[in-house]
Amino acid sequence: MADTKTSFRLKELSKKENLLESGHRMCSGCGAPIVVKQILMASEYPLVASNATGCLEVSTCISEYTAWKIPWIHTAFENAAATLSGVEAMYRAWKKQGRLDKDVKFIAFGGDGGTYDIGLQSLSGAMERGHDIVYVCYDNGAYMNTGIQRSSATPLGANTTTSPAGKVIPGKTQQRKDLTRIMAAHNIPYVAQGSPSHWRDLMTKARKAIAVDGPAFLNVLSPCNRGWRSATDDAILLARLGVETCYWPLYEIEDGKLSINFKPKEKKSLEEFMKPQGRFKHLFAPENASVLAELQAGIDREWNRLLAEAGEESK
Amino acid sequence: MAKMVAITGNEAVANAFRQINPDVCAAYPITPATDLMQRFAGYVADGEVDTELVLVESEHSAMSACIGAAAAGGRVATATSSQGLALMWELLHIASGDCLPIVMPVVNRALSAPLNIHGDHSDAMYCRDTGWIQLWSENAQEAYDNAIMAFRIAEHMDIRLPVMVNMDGFIISHSIETMEFLDDKKVKDFVGEFKAVNPLLDLDNPKSYGPLILTDYYHEYKRLQHETMGRVKDVVISVSKEYAKLSGRSYDLFDSYRLDDAEIAIVVLGSAAGTAKDVIDEYRDKGIKAGLMRPRLFRPYPYLEVADALKHLKAVCVLDRSDSFGGYGPVFMEVSSALYQLGGGPKLFNKIYGLGGRDFMPSQVEEVLNELGEIASGSPIKLVKDYLGVRE
């Protein structure tokens, strides 16, 4: 196990090479490349990456240009985990045959559509098989690349192009799927939720996930100003509010033991996270008060469940 | 010493895999290919190979893992059938588009609905435009030989493309035939060391696989794939010649049986050719000049060679063990395209036979040969496409 105790210092990090080179075509203010940059920078191992079809993929490797300074493969939408499991299997073959001395680690990136929905089977299979890979979901809560369609990660009530806030139906009518818990149910050595706003926490988690021998899963909140209908420079602010409202609790499950990594002194109201986002605007109309209440109740229920599981008292 | 054995097609190809010892195999069970990979899993379990066997949760993931493994840099194989191949379809284009030399026996089986586990060629035929090389086998011996040659063809530096090795479900995969294995060492030497091209595991020279290419270069990229396919024929011929020296068994782009002086001929893929050859012999004994063409390389399709081999005939019937509903059978369409370029040539018609494992009987061959005889003598073609052995 590599050293995961050393804290990350900005001074030293600033000297590290950025493995996702600037010049890629992600939207300005997008959370995803920040997430990827932080995670890649945290690794103590050389990495090979796999990428599901999606915003990150289409914007970082176009024609002859690539932003990736590490070996990278994209095949399709639903199979970043299966593709990476093949890469990792070939690595094991090379090691066995003495064709490679280095210890290499393998990391997949997929959005919530490619992970929660269409790629769930491929991800589950790869985790069950015990490949030494890390799967990172950058969760922006909808199919942003195709133009903001609802996914199973889209929060209740959110306005998307396929769950529009209409005259009769006020946005998405279902709660989000809790993918982090589903991954934890695979009993893999490491599962965690992170946020780029809490970069030291996220980088520590990435370092642990990469170093661990076996499969690991990171679910990372990734604000999308196009889909969230928020200001271009609010990604980190919104990610922070997501954490502080307990919409996106920071926790990790190491060998089955759950720890909460950030407990707000005063849990902020979910509305603080929602107000700056146009996708929730309609929920503040009086007739949708019940949706808002249901959302808050879901967040509270989940937070209390986490506290109980971590053996901590709820406030 | 070559070893004579009585064995099924699946066992034969599994043994070829054992002799070749691929670096990675990713597989998922499906009838009738299951038996091939489960036998191979036995070799892995017994330490007879050191392949990394990745037992995935679907054929989609099997092909995804094969692509990842091949891009990582090594020899990769899998096997499938029918619905499994259909589920892989999306990835087949990616394997060929990324120039990854994956070898995949396809144990040909009908497609649902209705559900049917028996042999026909629908699965591979509906994948004929995926950019994979397709080799077809008449029997277990050829399936074994093709499987070995497939690695050399796929990995050839002039092409680097994935190869499907087709064999009829159950008829070849599960019937016991007498055949000959090559010595392990001979196979290993013939296949040789894998040469990686742009491996992902070359960390000092990082490569990106699978870019987005839009209107600027996509069109050129696809033409390049077609041009690469144009080089396959010569590679298949040269690898087959080298293999003939090793094995004593010669294979060409297609098998020509009593074709040179024939007046009428059947074109048919796979195991049905054996049945047809027997009946052709009987007709030859009666003084009827009948012959047969059995395609071996179906993708790329050797149009010029086919036209040249069939041009002297009076009438040709193409038998298809898969269908294009509302269209002609896929082999017929190719033969027809090949012959059209002659501006004349034999009269041509199409029979669909053996769907979903329906037995192909000598009486059906007789029926076709009799009709060919009549058409060669001047009778008009009644139906360009018709069905053989179908119950009314």
Side-chain angles (χ1 to χ4, degrees):
Chain A
M1 182 74 151
D3 175 21
T4 54
K5 301 246 163 27
T6 319
S7 65
F8 294 95
R9 287 173 217 287
L10 283 174
K11 198 177 162 189
E12 279 134 44
L13 288 173
S14 67
K15 293 176 203 155
K16 285 196 85 171
E17 187 183 20
N18 185 5
L19 298 173
L20 181 70
E21 186 58 280
S22 62
H24 59 71
R25 304 180 198 183
M26 298 293 273
C27 304
S28 57
C30 173
I34 304 171
V35 169
V36 174
K37 181 177 167 179
Q38 290 180 7
I39 289 172
L40 295 181
M41 213 169 253
S43 179
E44 293 175 306
Y45 293 86
L47 293 168
V48 178
S50 160
N51 205 165
T53 308
C55 293
L56 178 67
E57 173 270 322
V58 297
S59 306
T60 55
C61 185
I62 307 174
S63 288
E64 312 100 296
Y65 303 103
T66 184
W68 296 86
K69 290 192 158 182
I70 54 173
W72 175 90
I73 182 167
H74 154 252
T75 58
F77 193 8
E78 66 278 56
N79 62 348
T83 303
L84 192 64
S85 70
V87 179
E88 187 258 6
M90 186 57 77
Y91 163 73
R92 281 188 275 124
W94 277 37
K95 287 286 255 194
K96 198 159 59 182
Q97 297 162 18
R99 289 164 70 186
L100 190 68
D101 296 329
K102 276 183 201 160
D103 287 333
V104 182
K105 295 287 188 168
F106 301 87
I107 192 160
F109 294 99
D112 50 286
T115 309
Y116 283 69
D117 287 351
I118 199 167
L120 183 61
Q121 174 184 320
S122 165
L123 171 62
S124 174
M127 296 286 120
E128 181 272 335
R129 293 193 296 275
H131 296 279
D132 190 11
I133 64 176
V134 182
Y135 191 104
V136 179
C137 175
Y138 66 98
D139 181 348
N140 52 31
Y143 290 86
M144 300 311 186
N145 190 44
T146 44
I148 321 162
Q149 289 79 35
R150 65 86 84 186
S151 77
S152 61
T154 303
L156 177 75
N159 181 7
T160 73
T161 56
T162 51
S163 64
K167 287 176 187 152
V168 180
I169 305 170
K172 194 193 177 199
T173 53
Q174 300 85 11
Q175 291 276 9
R176 315 175 57 241
K177 183 192 280 180
D178 191 342
L179 182 64
T180 310
R181 278 176 70 193
I182 293 170
M183 297 324 296
H186 286 69
N187 296 322
I188 54 177
Y190 191 77
V191 174
Q193 273 198 178
S195 163
S197 55
H198 296 66
W199 59 271
R200 195 172 270 125
D201 174 78
L202 176 58
M203 290 181 74
T204 305
K205 284 170 174 166
R207 182 166 283 186
K208 280 187 190 181
I210 292 165
V212 82
D213 185 16
F217 176 78
L218 294 178
N219 206 357
V220 186
L221 186 63
S222 182
C224 164
N225 55 61
R226 297 291 305 123
W228 292 14
R229 300 291 182 222
S230 52
T232 343
D233 54 356
D234 271 358
I236 298 302
L237 173 79
L238 287 172
R240 184 174 303 285
L241 284 169
V243 173
E244 290 175 349
T245 55
C246 297
Y247 169 81
W248 195 264
L250 301 184
Y251 68 98
E252 64 191 342
I253 303 169
E254 283 181 278
D255 296 320
K257 192 182 176 322
L258 187 145
S259 323
I260 294 172
N261 308 107
F262 177 84
K263 268 173 70 174
K265 285 194 189 80
E266 198 78 41
K267 189 166 75 170
K268 289 185 174 165
S269 157
L270 190 58
E271 292 185 16
E272 289 194 46
F273 172 63
M274 295 169 69
K275 277 251 164 80
Q277 300 183 47
R279 63 175 172 160
F280 297 123
K281 191 177 162 197
H282 59 290
L283 297 182
F284 294 95
E287 65 270 25
N288 290 329
S290 65
V291 181
L292 214 51
E294 199 184 332
L295 252 174
Q296 182 67 64
I299 298 302
D300 292 345
R301 193 169 54 239
E302 197 50 30
W303 178 242
N304 288 332
R305 188 194 63 77
L306 278 176
L307 288 171
E309 205 178 315
E312 301 192 30
E313 281 187 32
S314 58
K315 286 184 185 171
Chain B
M1 270 294 288
K3 192 175 150 200
M4 292 300 290
V5 289
I7 213 161
T8 68
N10 274 345
E11 283 178 275
V13 176
N15 190 48
F17 277 15
R18 181 191 61 76
Q19 294 178 312
I20 289 158
N21 190 15
D23 296 312
V24 173
C25 287
Y28 187 80
I30 183 163
T31 305
T34 310
D35 174 49
L36 196 167
M37 289 314 289
Q38 81 186 22
R39 283 174 194 279
F40 186 73
Y43 297 136
V44 175
D46 290 339
E48 292 190 48
V49 290
D50 52 15
T51 304
E52 286 293 331
L53 184 59
V54 186
L55 298 167
V56 286
E57 80 302 327
S58 74
E59 288 89 354
H60 194 280
S61 286
M63 187 44 63
S64 302
C66 283
I67 291 170
R75 188 167 278 151
V76 176
T78 182
T80 194
S81 295
S82 182
Q83 308 302 123
L85 186 63
L87 190 57
M88 283 181 184
W89 187 81
E90 175 191 29
L91 281 314
L92 298 178
H93 296 262
I94 294 166
S96 61
D98 284 346
C99 303
L100 299 172
I102 299 162
V103 171
M104 176 163 68
V106 176
V107 185
N108 305 109
R109 166 186 147 181
L111 281 168
S112 199
L115 181 62
N116 180 303
I117 59 163
H118 290 285
D120 76 25
H121 301 155
S122 309
D123 50 7
M125 281 300 159
Y126 303 155
C127 293
R128 64 193 185 275
D129 297 335
T130 56
W132 283 56
I133 295 165
Q134 285 197 1
L135 295 174
W136 289 77
S137 322
E138 180 173 340
N139 48 38
Q141 181 72 68
E142 192 179 359
Y144 169 80
D145 293 336
N146 278 343
I148 294 168
M149 282 183 268
F151 286 90
R152 281 286 303 278
I153 295 165
E155 295 168 15
H156 197 285
M157 286 299 175
D158 287 352
I159 49 178
R160 303 294 285 197
L161 284 175
V163 180
M164 277 181 210
V165 176
N166 293 283
M167 62 166 152
D168 292 349
F170 291 104
I171 301 169
I172 298 177
S173 67
H174 284 64
S175 305
I176 292 176
E177 291 177 46
T178 309
M179 58 161 287
E180 194 179 287
F181 282 144
L182 296 175
D183 292 341
D184 288 1
K185 187 173 181 317
K186 272 191 173 182
V187 174
K188 277 189 181 23
D189 291 347
F190 178 78
V191 172
E193 286 286 309
F194 181 86
K195 293 182 191 71
V197 176
N198 297 324
L200 281 173
L201 291 175
D202 179 2
L203 297 154
D204 298 329
N205 298 289
K207 295 287 185 297
S208 289
Y209 270 81
L212 172 78
I213 300 185
L214 298 173
T215 45
D216 49 357
Y217 283 116
Y218 183 88
H219 201 50
E220 284 73 15
Y221 200 91
K222 290 290 139 181
R223 185 184 61 175
L224 205 57
Q225 265 183 273
H226 178 72
E227 286 171 357
T228 308
M229 270 292 201
R231 296 194 289 274
V232 170
K233 191 175 69 186
D234 289 343
V235 170
V236 170
I237 290 169
S238 83
V239 169
S240 302
K241 276 186 182 156
E242 203 183 315
Y243 190 77
K245 281 186 207 149
L246 184 75
S247 65
R249 291 183 292 277
S250 296
Y251 295 103
D252 210 331
L253 301 177
F254 45 81
D255 175 16
S256 301
Y257 187 76
R258 307 189 85 160
L259 201 56
D260 286 352
D261 66 337
E263 291 177 350
I264 56 172
I266 286 171
V267 178
V268 68
L269 279 172
S271 64
T275 308
K277 285 174 186 174
D278 275 355
V279 182
I280 284 167
D281 287 346
E282 288 169 21
Y283 274 60
R284 282 279 179 171
D285 291 344
K286 290 191 269 184
I288 296 164
K289 289 188 171 175
L292 175 140
M293 171 185 280
R294 181 182 61 82
R296 174 171 175 249
L297 181 68
F298 189 73
R299 274 292 178 277
Y301 192 75
Y303 292 97
L304 296 177
E305 291 80 357
V306 168
D308 198 49
L310 298 179
K311 67 183 178 199
H312 63 285
L313 292 155
K314 289 183 178 164
V316 173
C317 178
V318 181
L319 302 186
D320 268 292
R321 202 165 203 156
S322 63
D323 207 347
S324 175
F325 313 107
Y328 295 131
V331 183
F332 177 86
M333 288 195 269
E334 300 303 2
V335 174
S336 189
S337 299
L339 292 179
Y340 182 78
Q341 301 304 325
L342 292 174
K347 290 177 180 169
L348 194 62
F349 60 100
N350 187 201
K351 300 282 187 195
I352 308 294
Y353 77 102
L355 298 183
R358 172 66 50 88
D359 279 336
F360 180 60
M361 305 303 285
S363 59
Q364 293 171 10
V365 183
E366 288 168 13
E367 197 182 313
V368 169
L369 289 174
N370 293 344
E371 192 174 341
L372 275 167
E374 288 165 21
I375 288 165
S377 310
S379 298
I381 291 169
K382 282 174 246 154
L383 275 174
V384 176
K385 174 187 166 185
D386 204 356
Y387 290 77
L388 272 182
V390 73
R391 296 191 298 180
E392 300 299 340

